[in-house]
Amino acid sequence: MTRWLGLAAAVLVAAGSYAAGALPGGDPGPELRRLGLGATPVPFQIGLAACLVGMVGLVAAWWRLGAMVRAGEVGARGLAVTGALWALPLLVAAPLGSRDVYSYACQGWLYASGADPYTLSPAGGGCPWVAAVAPVWRDETAPYGPVAIALAAGAAWLGGGLLATVGALRLVAAGGMVLAAVALPRLARTCGVEPVRAAWLGVCTPLVAVHAIAGAHYDALLAGLVVAGLAAAATGKPTSAGLALGLAVAVKVTAVVALPFAVLLLARPVRRWLVAGVAAAAFAAASLLGGLGWVGALGGATDQTQWTSVPTGVGMSVGYLLRGFGAGEGADDAVLAARLAGLGLLALALAALVVGAWRRRTDTRAVVLHCGAALAALALLSPIFYPWYALTALAVLAAAARAPVRRWLAVATGALTFLTLPNGLGVAALTKLPGAFLVLALVIAVAWAWLRPQVARAALKATSS
């Protein structure tokens, strides 16, 4: 019954996407952000309701499925069949939650046409599909690696038209999640975690269905390659590990964060050097074959200010306080300062996690857990965060985390599914002030929870002396 309820929910989401999704002809609810839901067309309202009800149903069915997995009522085969059934309607849905796939299509079209997407934007390069691209990305060059651009170019060349290209890119994303589904159980076994539970939490999720499959993001391929690389390293296959991770870095350079942990998963120094060398060779080969100066084009539109990024949310809340005291001119500086502080904290966190993994390098689960934490820190402490940025971190953490951490990861997975509306409008854009102060409150709570034991120990030491 749970399987079919989830399928019905996925069908409802897919049906609603054609009225409220990120349609190629433009935003079906353009006045939603400025004037509210009442100013949008009735078909959009119906489609939005269908999508949201379907997403709630999908999350509920997934949560029930997790209980069945823990009870031993659903095995690996049953979970795979269920996940495939839930994904099928979303393979034919309109893009959901983002218009990024149209940017990928235009970047691929430019490359397939002999142009350089790292120097030409979709608008500047004359992409015929530029009207479908989100305005914020129309004048931005590609921030992705040569493997991503090559796949997009292949999709554009084979597809010919926009819809066929989007369909091909969606298959790339689905392929990435299939790779993750195959590799994750192997990685989980090396960490002493039940493989079916890991697959339920890391792959067969509503976040994957909505944002990896329907959204067709490169992060789905990234997750598959990173998990495959870590699984290969954990099972003593340095060449396969290096190849997978080198290709992952050539999709999105942020995958380099996983490389030192993969190195530590190998016991012998010669194998550690081998995985690093193969990764570097794969990365270099992809870059050379691409023939594009993509490293100098890294970046993207970082002028978006959304509280979903922890540093940005803190900066926004400080900015609101400054405005309240009549010092509004410092609001932008507060966001910039918070982002810089976030990057500094990220560097410290990554260094600490690598050192921690080194100290426990004989413990596979500890190394993988440190890797997942590093990927999560990268996503949360960067200047911009979208729900699909969490796909790789959640997949890696699913292989190593244990209760109660797994329960919190499950809650986060369900919540992230709703972080953007079907037409691509972020919930953060509609809730700037309360969202920013919520982030600030959470940061204060986490800081106090970490500092309180240390303060108590210091106070006890002072009184005893």
Side-chain angles (χ1 to χ4, degrees):
M1 180 64 71
T2 299
R3 175 183 294 174
W4 304 115
L5 286 175
L7 177 61
V11 169
L12 188 59
V13 173
S17 72
Y18 285 97
L23 303 175
D27 187 351
E31 299 298 333
L32 177 61
R33 178 175 181 177
R34 192 170 65 91
L35 299 176
L37 185 62
T40 59
V42 172
F44 172 80
Q45 297 176 20
I46 296 173
L48 179 62
C51 283
L52 294 178
V53 170
M55 287 162 64
V56 169
L58 195 58
V59 170
W62 172 71
W63 197 266
R64 172 58 186 158
L65 180 65
M68 296 170 68
V69 166
R70 290 190 294 275
E73 299 174 17
V74 175
R77 184 182 296 274
L79 184 67
V81 171
T82 300
L85 279 175
W86 292 359
L88 279 176
L90 297 173
L91 280 171
V92 296
L96 287 170
S98 165
R99 309 188 72 82
D100 283 2
V101 69
Y102 303 127
S103 297
Y104 305 164
C106 272
Q107 290 156 8
W109 180 89
L110 287 171
Y111 188 35
S113 301
D116 185 350
Y118 296 116
T119 58
L120 288 174
S121 66
C127 175
W129 311 318
V130 69
V133 178
V136 71
W137 294 113
R138 290 176 186 172
D139 295 309
E140 295 287 338
T141 56
Y144 308 106
V147 168
I149 298 299
L151 289 170
W157 181 72
L158 290 172
L162 176 59
L163 294 183
T165 301
V166 168
L169 287 167
R170 182 169 280 164
L171 291 178
V172 169
M177 295 318 303
V178 169
L179 179 59
V182 171
L184 186 57
R186 290 193 288 121
L187 182 61
R189 286 190 193 96
T190 67
C191 297
V193 173
E194 171 60 39
V196 180
R197 294 188 183 187
W200 170 79
L201 182 59
V203 178
C204 186
T205 71
L207 180 66
V208 167
V210 173
H211 292 296
I213 304 300
H217 289 283
Y218 286 141
D219 298 81
L221 178 60
L222 186 75
L225 289 170
V226 169
V227 172
L230 292 172
T235 52
K237 300 173 183 176
T239 302
S240 298
L243 179 61
L245 290 170
L247 293 176
V249 177
V251 173
K252 291 184 75 172
V253 72
T254 51
V256 73
V257 168
L259 186 56
F261 300 97
V263 169
L264 292 176
L265 286 171
L266 293 156
R268 297 179 182 177
V270 65
R271 290 191 170 191
R272 290 174 181 167
W273 283 108
L274 183 57
V275 70
V278 172
F283 172 78
S287 299
L288 290 173
L289 290 174
L292 303 168
W294 72 279
V295 176
L298 293 176
T302 57
D303 57 343
Q304 302 173 66
T305 305
Q306 298 185 1
W307 57 261
T308 48
S309 156
V310 172
T312 301
V314 171
M316 289 172 64
S317 61
V318 173
Y320 286 129
L321 291 173
L322 289 174
R323 290 190 184 97
F325 288 102
E329 65 278 359
D332 291 339
D333 292 336
V335 171
L336 177 60
R339 284 177 165 178
L340 292 174
L343 293 176
L345 182 59
L346 174 60
L348 292 174
L350 293 180
L353 287 165
V354 171
V355 171
W358 167 258
R359 290 174 176 169
R360 302 183 63 185
R361 58 192 178 276
T362 58
D363 183 345
T364 297
R365 177 179 168 270
V367 174
V368 174
L369 198 58
H370 279 71
C371 181
L375 291 165
L378 175 66
L380 293 173
L381 294 176
S382 294
I384 297 175
F385 173 81
Y386 290 106
W388 47 92
Y389 288 8
L391 288 170
T392 305
L394 287 170
V396 173
L397 288 170
R402 293 175 183 167
V405 175
R406 297 179 65 83
R407 286 192 289 273
W408 284 108
L409 291 175
V411 170
T413 297
L416 288 172
T417 306
F418 298 92
L419 204 55
T420 58
L421 296 179
N423 65 335
L425 177 62
V427 172
L430 302 174
T431 57
K432 285 192 171 184
L433 190 147
F437 281 106
L438 174 62
V439 170
L440 180 62
L442 288 174
V443 168
I444 292 172
V446 170
W448 173 243
W450 182 71
L451 288 172
R452 185 172 59 179
Q454 301 183 49
V455 172
R457 282 195 296 269
L460 182 62
K461 184 177 179 180
T463 55
S464 62
S465 60

